[in-house]
CSV table of all heavy atoms in Angstrom, one decimal:
chain,number,residue,atom,x,y,z
P,65,ARG,N,-36.2,33.4,152.9
P,65,ARG,CA,-36.2,34.0,151.5
P,65,ARG,C,-34.9,33.9,150.8
P,65,ARG,O,-34.9,33.8,149.6
P,65,ARG,CB,-36.7,35.5,151.7
P,65,ARG,CG,-37.4,36.0,150.6
P,65,ARG,CD,-38.6,35.2,150.1
P,65,ARG,NE,-39.7,35.1,151.2
P,65,ARG,CZ,-40.5,34.1,151.3
P,65,ARG,NH1,-40.5,33.1,150.4
P,65,ARG,NH2,-41.4,34.1,152.2
P,66,PHE,N,-33.8,34.1,151.6
P,66,PHE,CA,-32.5,34.1,150.9
P,66,PHE,C,-31.6,33.1,151.7
P,66,PHE,O,-30.9,33.5,152.6
P,66,PHE,CB,-31.9,35.5,151.0
P,66,PHE,CG,-32.8,36.5,150.3
P,66,PHE,CD1,-33.6,37.3,151.1
P,66,PHE,CD2,-32.7,36.7,148.9
P,66,PHE,CE1,-34.4,38.3,150.4
P,66,PHE,CE2,-33.5,37.6,148.3
P,66,PHE,CZ,-34.4,38.4,149.1
P,67,PRO,N,-31.6,31.9,151.3
P,67,PRO,CA,-30.9,30.8,152.1
P,67,PRO,C,-29.4,31.2,152.3
P,67,PRO,O,-28.9,30.8,153.3
P,67,PRO,CB,-31.0,29.6,151.2
P,67,PRO,CG,-32.3,29.8,150.4
P,67,PRO,CD,-32.3,31.3,150.2
P,68,ASP,N,-28.8,31.9,151.4
P,68,ASP,CA,-27.4,32.3,151.7
P,68,ASP,C,-27.1,33.7,151.1
P,68,ASP,O,-27.9,34.2,150.3
P,68,ASP,CB,-26.4,31.3,151.4
P,68,ASP,CG,-26.0,31.2,150.0
P,68,ASP,OD1,-26.0,32.2,149.3
P,68,ASP,OD2,-25.8,30.0,149.5
P,69,ARG,N,-26.0,34.2,151.6
P,69,ARG,CA,-25.7,35.6,151.2
P,69,ARG,C,-25.7,35.8,149.7
P,69,ARG,O,-26.1,36.9,149.2
P,69,ARG,CB,-24.4,36.0,151.8
P,69,ARG,CG,-24.5,37.2,152.7
P,69,ARG,CD,-23.3,38.1,152.7
P,69,ARG,NE,-22.1,37.5,152.2
P,69,ARG,CZ,-21.2,37.0,153.0
P,69,ARG,NH1,-21.4,36.9,154.3
P,69,ARG,NH2,-20.1,36.5,152.6
P,70,ALA,N,-25.2,34.8,149.0
P,70,ALA,CA,-25.1,35.0,147.5
P,70,ALA,C,-26.4,35.3,146.9
P,70,ALA,O,-26.5,36.1,146.0
P,70,ALA,CB,-24.4,33.8,146.9
P,71,ASP,N,-27.5,34.7,147.4
P,71,ASP,CA,-28.8,34.9,146.8
P,71,ASP,C,-29.2,36.4,147.0
P,71,ASP,O,-29.8,37.0,146.1
P,71,ASP,CB,-29.8,34.0,147.5
P,71,ASP,CG,-29.5,32.5,147.3
P,71,ASP,OD1,-29.2,32.2,146.1
P,71,ASP,OD2,-29.5,31.8,148.2
P,72,LEU,N,-28.9,36.9,148.2
P,72,LEU,CA,-29.3,38.2,148.5
P,72,LEU,C,-28.5,39.2,147.7
P,72,LEU,O,-29.0,40.1,147.1
P,72,LEU,CB,-29.0,38.4,150.0
P,72,LEU,CG,-29.5,39.7,150.7
P,72,LEU,CD1,-30.9,40.1,150.3
P,72,LEU,CD2,-29.4,39.5,152.2
P,73,VAL,N,-27.2,38.9,147.6
P,73,VAL,CA,-26.3,39.8,146.8
P,73,VAL,C,-26.8,39.8,145.4
P,73,VAL,O,-26.8,40.9,144.7
P,73,VAL,CB,-24.9,39.3,146.9
P,73,VAL,CG1,-24.0,39.9,145.9
P,73,VAL,CG2,-24.3,39.5,148.3
P,74,GLU,N,-27.0,38.7,144.8
P,74,GLU,CA,-27.5,38.5,143.5
P,74,GLU,C,-28.7,39.4,143.2
P,74,GLU,O,-28.8,40.2,142.3
P,74,GLU,CB,-27.9,37.1,143.2
P,74,GLU,CG,-28.1,36.7,141.8
P,74,GLU,CD,-26.9,36.3,141.0
P,74,GLU,OE1,-25.8,36.4,141.6
P,74,GLU,OE2,-27.0,36.0,139.8
P,75,ALA,N,-29.7,39.3,144.1
P,75,ALA,CA,-30.9,40.1,144.0
P,75,ALA,C,-30.6,41.6,144.1
P,75,ALA,O,-31.3,42.4,143.4
P,75,ALA,CB,-31.9,39.7,145.0
P,76,LEU,N,-29.7,42.0,144.9
P,76,LEU,CA,-29.4,43.4,145.2
P,76,LEU,C,-28.6,44.1,144.1
P,76,LEU,O,-29.0,45.2,143.7
P,76,LEU,CB,-28.6,43.5,146.5
P,76,LEU,CG,-29.4,43.8,147.7
P,76,LEU,CD1,-28.4,43.9,148.9
P,76,LEU,CD2,-30.2,45.0,147.6
P,77,PHE,N,-27.6,43.5,143.6
P,77,PHE,CA,-26.6,44.3,142.9
P,77,PHE,C,-26.7,44.2,141.4
P,77,PHE,O,-26.1,45.0,140.6
P,77,PHE,CB,-25.2,43.9,143.3
P,77,PHE,CG,-24.9,44.3,144.7
P,77,PHE,CD1,-24.9,43.4,145.7
P,77,PHE,CD2,-24.6,45.6,144.9
P,77,PHE,CE1,-24.6,43.8,147.0
P,77,PHE,CE2,-24.4,46.1,146.2
P,77,PHE,CZ,-24.3,45.1,147.3
P,78,ASP,N,-27.6,43.4,140.9
P,78,ASP,CA,-27.9,43.3,139.5
P,78,ASP,C,-28.0,44.6,138.8
P,78,ASP,O,-27.3,44.9,137.9
P,78,ASP,CB,-29.3,42.6,139.4
P,78,ASP,CG,-29.3,41.6,138.2
P,78,ASP,OD1,-28.2,41.3,137.8
P,78,ASP,OD2,-30.4,41.3,137.8
P,79,GLN,N,-28.9,45.4,139.4
P,79,GLN,CA,-29.2,46.7,138.7
P,79,GLN,C,-28.0,47.7,138.9
P,79,GLN,O,-27.7,48.5,138.0
P,79,GLN,CB,-30.5,47.2,139.3
P,79,GLN,CG,-30.7,48.7,139.2
P,79,GLN,CD,-31.3,49.2,140.5
P,79,GLN,OE1,-31.8,48.4,141.3
P,79,GLN,NE2,-31.3,50.5,140.6
P,80,GLN,N,-27.4,47.7,140.1
P,80,GLN,CA,-26.3,48.6,140.3
P,80,GLN,C,-25.1,48.4,139.3
P,80,GLN,O,-24.5,49.3,138.9
P,80,GLN,CB,-25.7,48.4,141.7
P,80,GLN,CG,-26.8,48.7,142.7
P,80,GLN,CD,-26.2,49.1,144.1
P,80,GLN,OE1,-25.1,49.8,144.1
P,80,GLN,NE2,-26.8,48.7,145.2
P,81,VAL,N,-25.0,47.1,138.9
P,81,VAL,CA,-24.0,46.8,137.9
P,81,VAL,C,-24.3,47.6,136.6
P,81,VAL,O,-23.4,48.1,135.9
P,81,VAL,CB,-23.8,45.3,137.6
P,81,VAL,CG1,-23.1,45.0,136.3
P,81,VAL,CG2,-23.2,44.6,138.8
P,82,ASP,N,-25.6,47.6,136.2
P,82,ASP,CA,-26.0,48.3,135.0
P,82,ASP,C,-25.5,49.8,135.1
P,82,ASP,O,-25.1,50.4,134.1
P,82,ASP,CB,-27.5,48.3,134.8
P,82,ASP,CG,-28.0,46.9,134.4
P,82,ASP,OD1,-27.1,46.1,134.0
P,82,ASP,OD2,-29.1,46.6,134.6
P,83,ASP,N,-25.7,50.4,136.3
P,83,ASP,CA,-25.3,51.8,136.5
P,83,ASP,C,-23.8,52.0,136.2
P,83,ASP,O,-23.4,52.9,135.5
P,83,ASP,CB,-25.5,52.2,138.0
P,83,ASP,CG,-27.0,52.3,138.3
P,83,ASP,OD1,-27.8,52.2,137.4
P,83,ASP,OD2,-27.2,52.6,139.5
P,84,VAL,N,-23.0,51.0,136.7
P,84,VAL,CA,-21.6,51.1,136.4
P,84,VAL,C,-21.3,51.1,135.0
P,84,VAL,O,-20.5,51.9,134.4
P,84,VAL,CB,-20.8,50.0,137.2
P,84,VAL,CG1,-19.3,50.2,136.9
P,84,VAL,CG2,-21.1,50.1,138.7
P,85,VAL,N,-21.9,50.1,134.3
P,85,VAL,CA,-21.6,50.0,132.8
P,85,VAL,C,-22.0,51.3,132.1
P,85,VAL,O,-21.2,51.9,131.3
P,85,VAL,CB,-22.4,48.8,132.2
P,85,VAL,CG1,-22.2,48.9,130.7
P,85,VAL,CG2,-21.9,47.5,132.8
P,86,ALA,N,-23.1,51.9,132.5
P,86,ALA,CA,-23.6,53.1,131.9
P,86,ALA,C,-22.5,54.2,132.2
P,86,ALA,O,-22.2,55.0,131.3
P,86,ALA,CB,-24.9,53.5,132.5
P,87,ARG,N,-22.0,54.3,133.4
P,87,ARG,CA,-21.0,55.3,133.7
P,87,ARG,C,-19.7,55.1,132.9
P,87,ARG,O,-19.2,56.1,132.4
P,87,ARG,CB,-20.6,55.2,135.2
P,87,ARG,CG,-21.6,55.8,136.1
P,87,ARG,CD,-21.3,57.3,136.1
P,87,ARG,NE,-22.4,58.0,136.9
P,87,ARG,CZ,-22.3,59.3,137.2
P,87,ARG,NH1,-21.3,60.0,136.8
P,87,ARG,NH2,-23.3,59.8,137.9
P,88,VAL,N,-19.3,53.9,132.7
P,88,VAL,CA,-18.1,53.7,131.9
P,88,VAL,C,-18.3,54.2,130.5
P,88,VAL,O,-17.5,54.8,129.9
P,88,VAL,CB,-17.7,52.2,131.8
P,88,VAL,CG1,-16.3,52.1,131.2
P,88,VAL,CG2,-17.7,51.5,133.2
P,89,GLU,N,-19.5,53.8,130.0
P,89,GLU,CA,-19.7,54.2,128.6
P,89,GLU,C,-19.9,55.7,128.5
P,89,GLU,O,-19.4,56.2,127.5
P,89,GLU,CB,-21.0,53.4,128.1
P,89,GLU,CG,-20.6,52.0,127.8
P,89,GLU,CD,-21.8,51.1,127.6
P,89,GLU,OE1,-23.0,51.5,127.8
P,89,GLU,OE2,-21.6,49.9,127.4
P,90,ALA,N,-20.5,56.3,129.4
P,90,ALA,CA,-20.5,57.8,129.4
P,90,ALA,C,-19.1,58.4,129.4
P,90,ALA,O,-18.8,59.3,128.6
P,90,ALA,CB,-21.3,58.3,130.6
P,91,ALA,N,-18.3,57.8,130.2
P,91,ALA,CA,-16.9,58.3,130.3
P,91,ALA,C,-16.2,58.1,129.0
P,91,ALA,O,-15.4,58.9,128.6
P,91,ALA,CB,-16.2,57.6,131.5
P,92,ALA,N,-16.5,57.0,128.3
P,92,ALA,CA,-15.8,56.7,127.1
P,92,ALA,C,-16.3,57.7,126.0
P,92,ALA,O,-15.6,57.9,125.0
P,92,ALA,CB,-16.1,55.3,126.6
Side-chain angles (χ1 to χ4, degrees):
Chain P
R65 207 56 61 207
F66 304 97
D68 76 37
R69 237 212 341 265
D71 300 311
L72 189 43
V73 167
E74 190 88 356
L76 265 180
F77 290 105
D78 218 20
Q79 156 222 350
Q80 300 202 35
V81 166
D82 289 342
D83 290 357
V84 178
V85 174
R87 279 282 174 170
V88 191
E89 282 163 2

